[in-house]
Amino acid sequence: MAERAVRVKVLGIETSCDETSAAVVENGDCIISNVIASQIDIHSKYGGVVPEVASRRHVELILPVVQEALDQAGLTFADIGCIGAINRPGLIGALIVGAAAAKTIAYGADIPLVALHHLEAHIYANFLTNAHIEFPLICLVVSGGHSDIVYMTGHGQYQILARTRDDAAGEAFDKCARALGLGYPGGPVIDKLAGSGDTNAVDFPRAKVGDTLDFSFSGLKTAVIRYAQNTGTQTRIEDIAASFQQAVVDVLTDHTFRAVEQTGVRQVLMAGGVAANSSLQAAIKSRGSELGISVNAPPPVLCTDNAAMAASAAYYACRRGENAGLDMDCFASEPLGSAQR
Ligand code: KG4
Ligand code: ZN
């Protein structure tokens, strides 16, 4: 790939769950277009994502979405220096659609292709924010499928310090919201309701997993569901939402700063859909400023799934000489930091 002075335009493609997205990003930090076709309306009536329905919708949307990303950028494939496709982890049928489109374009237009881990892409959303980012750092990656604390010593260098032993943070938001009759996805609606609720109304549990930094949210989820079934109508829904959210925020903040202390880093990044949570951002930023630790979080639209984050990650992967080849496969589950595929 050409050197920095040339300004390389990267096409990112993301189809790992229920968003069909394509984006063009220049030099890893400047978004030229970021088209996100959400399927939330289709899946919300089922209370969650239906994998086969998602795959079929990706098939219908992927080519128009890629074309729209190019049109908005005023570019053609001839202007693209690299393609980055998320090929792991995620819904396998959904991933295959984006990967097949990326391989076809890479072959047809003779463009280098890189394969990306979904969490790696989430982390790189931070590089789209103008923040000054310096390694080593800690990134809290919290989404519908993951709750990880990642230690990064450089581009593409990931060490997982903590993960969830059961439900992910976003999964807890979604399942509690469903039990409270708030629809899917649960995070944004709980975030909003909690804004006018009392965080001390219900004393929900903050689980510890021995003396590790790992998370466990299934006990909290069960406590909220039981509370809603037994005493729900006597307590304002805003108060239940605020008390649940505070329990999640307390644990995520506490573990993140224990990781900061253990590693001695001076910077924390936030990533993934749950990083859009206003209370979580406020808590981590406030603890960071107390301790003199720099904290950065992307705006909500770059926290949730999008292809600009993939294009940013791809720029740095391509600069490191990664190249996926046309036999690139997809993987439903794969830890961050495992050998590139
Ligand atoms: O990263 P993402 O878009 O998809 C996955 O990789 O899973 O994250 C989606 C998750 C969902 O569980 C959703 O409820 C949660 O992020 N989420 C939020 C907020 N916005 C989205 N959780 C808490 N507060 C929010 N504002
Ligand atoms: Zn995601």
Side-chain angles (χ1 to χ4, degrees):
M1 191 168 68
E3 266 317 302
R4 217 182 164 86
V6 176
R7 312 265 332 149
V8 180
K9 294 174 182 68
V10 178
L11 174 68
I13 294 181
E14 146 67 6
T15 60
S16 66
C17 190
D18 60 346
E19 262 94 28
T20 316
S21 183
V24 180
V25 169
E26 199 172 56
N27 274 27
D29 58 13
C30 176
I31 299 175
I32 307 183
S33 63
N34 188 19
V35 179
I36 305 166
S38 170
Q39 303 180 9
I40 283 177
D41 289 350
I42 301 172
H43 298 286
S44 56
K45 58 174 169 285
Y46 304 108
V49 178
V50 184
E52 183 56 24
V53 174
S55 310
R56 284 163 191 258
R57 193 71 185 127
H58 284 307
V59 170
E60 289 163 3
L61 288 171
I62 188 65
L63 294 180
V65 164
V66 168
Q67 191 59 53
E68 180 67 20
L70 288 174
D71 290 349
Q72 284 185 15
L75 301 172
T76 69
F77 289 131
D79 301 304
I80 301 298
C82 170
I83 301 177
I86 291 175
N87 74 331
R88 65 196 194 280
L91 301 174
I92 195 70
L95 287 166
I96 285 170
V97 177
K103 285 194 270 191
T104 307
I105 298 164
Y107 177 69
D110 194 20
I111 304 170
L113 173 68
V114 293
L116 301 162
H117 193 285
H118 186 73
L119 298 190
E120 165 176 43
H122 270 304
I123 293 170
Y124 275 82
N126 284 277
F127 287 81
L128 299 166
T129 63
N130 290 328
H132 178 71
I133 296 173
E134 248 181 79
F135 300 107
L137 55 81
I138 288 290
C139 187
L140 173 67
V141 194
V142 269
S143 68
H146 295 85
S147 306
D148 288 5
I149 296 177
V150 182
Y151 176 55
M152 283 184 79
T153 50
H155 286 294
Q157 305 291 313
Y158 312 102
Q159 194 186 328
I160 309 284
L161 302 185
R163 52 171 52 93
T164 182
R165 297 288 179 101
D166 40 55
D167 291 346
E171 201 176 346
F173 270 95
D174 293 338
K175 287 179 176 167
C176 288
R178 188 177 349 181
L180 296 169
L182 300 173
Y184 171 85
V189 58
I190 288 184
D191 192 352
K192 191 152 181 268
L193 285 171
S196 50
D198 175 4
T199 54
N200 295 312
V202 192
D203 186 18
F204 287 127
R206 276 97 170 132
K208 284 199 169 64
V209 183
D211 58 0
T212 72
L213 294 175
D214 283 351
F215 300 107
S216 167
F217 291 110
S218 81
L220 169 62
K221 172 197 69 185
T222 306
V224 173
I225 293 172
R226 287 231 176 93
Y227 187 88
Q229 283 165 348
N230 298 336
T231 48
T233 50
Q234 290 150 36
T235 310
R236 290 168 69 230
I237 191 100
E238 291 86 349
D239 292 342
I240 302 176
S243 301
F244 156 73
Q245 180 175 277
Q246 192 59 47
V248 177
V249 167
D250 283 351
V251 172
L252 292 175
T253 306
D254 180 52
H255 290 212
T256 300
F257 284 95
R258 276 169 57 202
V260 166
E261 200 182 329
Q262 284 175 16
T263 54
V265 302
R266 308 300 304 160
Q267 186 163 41
V268 169
L269 305 181
M270 299 173 67
V274 181
N277 186 270
S278 56
S279 172
L280 180 63
Q281 286 204 12
I284 295 203
K285 285 177 180 167
S286 148
R287 184 79 67 89
S289 78
E290 274 164 37
L291 299 171
I293 303 292
S294 146
V295 173
N296 190 65
V301 68
L302 296 178
C303 286
T304 47
D305 290 346
N306 69 90
M309 65 188 196
S312 175
Y315 171 77
Y316 290 98
C318 209
R319 273 183 31 153
R320 297 193 289 274
E322 284 179 23
N323 199 330
L326 295 176
D327 57 353
M328 177 179 81
D329 209 343
C330 294
F331 304 89
S333 65
E334 181 86 0
L336 177 64
S338 53
Q340 297 294 316
R341 312 257 201 164

